[in-house]
Amino acid sequence: MSQIDRSLAQAARAWPFEEARKLLARTGGKAPAKGYVLLETGYGPSGLPHIGTFGEVVRTTMVRQAFRRLSDIPTRLFCFSDDMDGLRKVPDNVPNKEMLAAHLGKPLTAVPDPFSNEYPSFGAANNARLRAFLDSFGFEYEFQSATDWYKSGRFDKMLLAVLQHYEEIQAVMLPTLGEERQQTYSVFLPISPASGRVLQVPIQNIDKGKGLISYYDEDGTLITTPVTGGNVKLQWKADWAGRWFALDVDYEMYGKDLIPSAELSAKIVRILGGKPPEGFNYELFLDEEGKKISKSKGNGLSVEEWLRYAPPESLALYMQQQPRRAKRLYFDVIPRAVDDYLAAIEKLPAEEPAKALENAAWHIHDGAAPANSAAGVNFGMLLNLASVAHTENKDVLWQYLRRYVPGATPETAPYLDRLLSGAVAYYQDFVKASKKFRLPTAKERDALEDLADTLRKLPEDESAEFIQNEVYEVGKRHFAQAELRQWFKTLYEVLLGSEQGPRMGAFIKLYGRDNVVQLIERALAGEDLGKAA
């Protein structure tokens, strides 16, 4: 990278660059002893993956990309699954609940797959769902399994260090617990050799020299076991700290609700002799009712639901925008996310290099954004097209698109075809039932008649911008300057059944001059535009 480009990255205000500069300061400009900077994201596969989980990978990747513009130090991104956690409760949104209930307390990778027996465990099934999503984005990451790290012995050195500092770590954790829990708490959770369950039991004895702990199993048998080799795991806050220490993690994001936990884990890392990673706490996503999204409740959007209506780049944009602001993550945010992405990708090629680094599309595509293949059509326009055309048949809608984008076909414009498919599905599922058309007032009738006459006189091949200006001029002939907003609101409510809508010039060009004239004539005749002509 040239010094000019690097100086732009040093000054860039976008939050991924701010985070990358923190990471660069941590290294002192030199590669760590391990030879690379390690960024990590964590995933708890106790419930079906949800978009908030994937948001961490999207955002962390953006920081990694920004760091690469600042430094030549190699980087790695680990996506770490806490799949050795015990299954605490049966999620609400999975099948075969009775079967899962029989395995409560066991590590997630020891619980059978409730979905189809396609995978060896519940943890493996959810891990596969996570990887499938990450792969669909083309992320560069390395998947890591807690079960693998514990059982392979790669955590052994860390576990022995925790045992050596057992009393100090307990002293950090106990004040954060209730009085009753303090009596039985231990950072070590043995795995019962009889039942296979992860046990929360008091430790009776520790032998630091031999690396052993003793505890009473569920049947009352006194068990002595090594803390190594996957015989125990750590309570999650100590587990988080142990992972930071063992892997020498340099950077990790976490939700605002985990700030106290991150602070505790940082204390434990320091006790072990390590350095906590740089952190970034983001605001939580909220559901339709403004409540925190939960994996087990399934009250947010799933990945599959978002992708039914919109391309993955729109989801990446939603994650990039204002990560420290609480945002609703529900179906109604999708159209705006798609159109914000299309607007960003359209602006990027013409922007000055410094300005481009502030553009969300730059971060989504690592600075190499593709050309805008939507050809000036946005999601809102397609929703309105589906509304006025009264059809779910994509082939019929393509007849209108060909007029707007000459020569385009589903084969030559696959991205546009993907947008159209999503818009049709979204319209049918969420918009159709909420459409409310109204009849025009006397003043509005005069303006609509004027607009129809104006459109009839326009050449069929007139540009969308010229048509927009003509619509505006019609409005000025019937509404005062301060009322022009009402003119466009009239067009939306009378012709499209919505309080908001697209630029009318672009919509008229897309739907066709004569078709819009017919809509106006039907409205003036008092017809219900919510029904096909």
Side-chain angles (χ1 to χ4, degrees):
M1 171 170 285
S2 72
Q3 289 301 313
I4 294 177
D5 291 339
R6 192 147 282 175
S7 66
L8 292 177
Q10 286 282 5
R13 294 176 297 173
W15 68 263
F17 282 103
E18 292 177 353
E19 292 302 295
R21 287 192 288 270
K22 283 169 37 181
L23 194 49
L24 184 63
R26 173 190 177 89
T27 68
K30 299 178 181 178
K34 60 183 178 289
Y36 55 87
V37 164
L38 178 59
L39 302 92
E40 183 190 56
T41 66
Y43 169 57
S46 58
L48 296 177
H50 66 87
I51 290 175
T53 305
F54 306 129
E56 287 194 14
V57 184
V58 176
R59 290 165 171 166
T60 305
T61 295
M62 292 175 180
V63 174
R64 184 186 189 188
Q65 292 168 173
F67 182 82
R68 286 172 170 168
R69 299 306 197 279
L70 294 168
S71 171
D72 295 322
I73 300 173
T75 62
R76 296 173 74 180
L77 171 58
F78 282 5
C79 181
F80 202 100
S81 174
D82 296 317
D83 56 15
M84 202 165 164
D85 283 352
L87 179 64
R88 297 180 184 87
K89 63 179 181 178
V90 178
D92 295 333
N93 55 347
V94 298
N96 296 311
K97 292 184 177 62
E98 290 184 7
M99 180 276 287
L100 286 179
H103 294 275
L104 285 173
K106 293 182 181 179
L108 294 165
T109 44
V111 176
D113 176 7
F115 301 103
S116 63
N117 292 320
E118 180 182 354
Y119 297 96
S121 69
F122 184 34
N126 281 336
N127 286 341
R129 285 168 170 77
L130 174 69
R131 293 196 302 271
F133 179 84
L134 300 182
D135 292 343
S136 74
F137 263 118
F139 285 122
E140 179 189 342
Y141 72 100
E142 299 169 58
F143 179 79
Q144 306 291 335
S145 159
T147 301
D148 180 50
W149 276 78
Y150 273 105
K151 291 189 174 182
S152 69
R154 285 184 288 171
F155 270 162
D156 284 358
K157 183 179 178 181
M158 175 270 291
L159 290 165
L160 290 171
V162 172
L163 188 62
Q164 291 300 316
H165 296 277
Y166 183 78
E167 293 83 4
E168 293 171 79
I169 296 172
Q170 286 281 104
V172 167
M173 293 304 306
L174 290 178
T176 68
L177 306 170
E179 185 176 347
E180 183 178 347
R181 185 72 183 96
Q182 289 182 13
Q183 307 307 311
T184 61
Y185 181 85
S186 168
V187 293
F188 289 112
L189 300 175
I191 297 175
S192 168
S195 69
R197 284 193 280 268
V198 181
L199 305 179
Q200 299 201 41
V201 293
I203 301 304
Q204 303 301 315
N205 185 55
I206 64 172
D207 186 332
K208 295 182 180 180
K210 295 182 178 179
L212 303 173
I213 60 171
S214 298
Y215 65 94
Y216 286 108
D217 203 350
E218 294 169 292
D219 62 2
T221 303
L222 182 65
I223 302 290
T224 298
T225 188
V227 296
T228 54
N231 293 295
V232 308
K233 74 174 300 292
L234 295 175
Q235 291 269 9
W236 89 264
K237 292 172 187 176
D239 186 269
W240 201 10
R243 191 164 78 221
W244 286 349
F245 175 72
L247 279 64
D248 189 17
V249 176
D250 294 295
Y251 187 87
E252 181 158 359
M253 294 184 174
Y254 43 85
K256 184 179 179 181
D257 58 335
L258 294 184
I259 292 175
S261 299
E263 292 172 346
L264 280 175
S265 295
K267 289 180 181 179
I268 295 172
V269 172
R270 294 188 183 98
I271 290 171
L272 296 174
K275 183 179 181 181
E278 299 302 311
F280 177 87
N281 60 82
Y282 53 83
E283 266 289 0
L284 305 178
F285 286 120
L286 308 175
D287 67 7
E288 183 183 21
E289 298 175 356
K291 298 178 180 177
K292 176 188 169 185
I293 288 175
S294 163
K295 290 192 300 291
S296 59
K297 291 180 181 178
N299 60 332
L301 276 174
S302 72
V303 174
E304 293 81 7
E305 286 170 330
W306 185 289
L307 296 182
R308 167 172 161 75
Y309 306 110
E313 296 87 358
S314 61
L315 176 56
L317 177 132
Y318 196 71
M319 297 300 169
Q320 196 274 343
Q321 292 175 322
Q322 300 176 304
R324 283 201 158 125
R325 192 189 81 186
K327 297 188 292 187
R328 291 174 70 254
L329 187 58
Y330 205 65
F331 294 101
D332 55 2
V333 307
I334 292 176
R336 174 68 180 271
V338 176
D339 286 347
D340 282 352
Y341 168 74
L342 294 175
I345 206 76
E346 186 174 356
K347 291 177 183 176
L348 189 61
E351 289 181 322
E352 294 294 326
K355 184 68 173 176
L357 297 183
E358 315 296 326
N359 188 317
W362 189 98
H363 296 276
I364 293 168
H365 296 287
D366 194 15
N372 181 1
S373 52
V377 178
N378 65 29
F379 201 73
M381 288 171 63
L382 295 175
L383 288 177
N384 284 297
L385 177 61
S387 171
V388 298
H390 296 287
T391 181
E392 300 175 42
N393 188 329
K394 199 172 63 169
D395 292 337
V396 172
L397 297 177
W398 258 107
Q399 295 176 16
Y400 298 100
L401 284 175
R402 288 190 188 95
R403 178 188 295 112
Y404 193 79
V405 189
T409 67
E411 292 72 32
T412 62
Y415 196 83
L416 184 54
D417 189 58
R418 169 71 179 84
L419 286 178
L420 181 58
S421 296
V424 170
Y426 191 92
Y427 174 76
Q428 293 296 326
D429 291 349
F430 301 109
V431 179
K432 187 176 181 179
S434 65
K435 285 285 182 180
K436 294 182 180 178
F437 293 87
R438 68 172 177 83
L439 295 176
T441 64
K443 180 178 180 179
E444 293 167 343
R445 288 180 64 86
D446 291 342
L448 285 169
E449 288 173 351
D450 189 352
L451 178 60
D453 288 339
T454 299
L455 292 178
R456 290 188 189 100
K457 298 172 185 175
L458 292 180
E460 183 71 34
D461 59 353
E462 196 57 84
S463 71
E465 195 60 36
F466 185 89
I467 297 172
Q468 178 73 18
N469 290 334
E470 289 298 299
V471 174
Y472 187 73
E473 291 299 322
V474 169
K476 287 201 297 185
R477 291 198 287 270
H478 298 270
F479 294 84
Q481 186 69 32
E483 296 178 318
L484 281 174
R485 184 184 296 271
Q486 178 58 42
W487 164 231
F488 287 97
K489 193 167 184 286
T490 295
L491 295 174
Y492 301 146
E493 292 176 347
V494 173
L495 302 181
L496 303 177
S498 174
E499 292 184 356
Q500 297 178 324
R503 284 178 62 84
M504 286 306 298
F507 176 74
I508 292 168
K509 180 72 175 176
L510 173 63
Y511 189 49
R513 178 202 63 188
D514 294 341
N515 291 326
V516 173
V517 169
Q518 290 176 14
L519 273 183
I520 295 172
E521 291 172 344
R522 290 178 58 203
L524 294 174
E527 287 188 37
D528 182 358
L529 297 189
K531 299 178 181 179

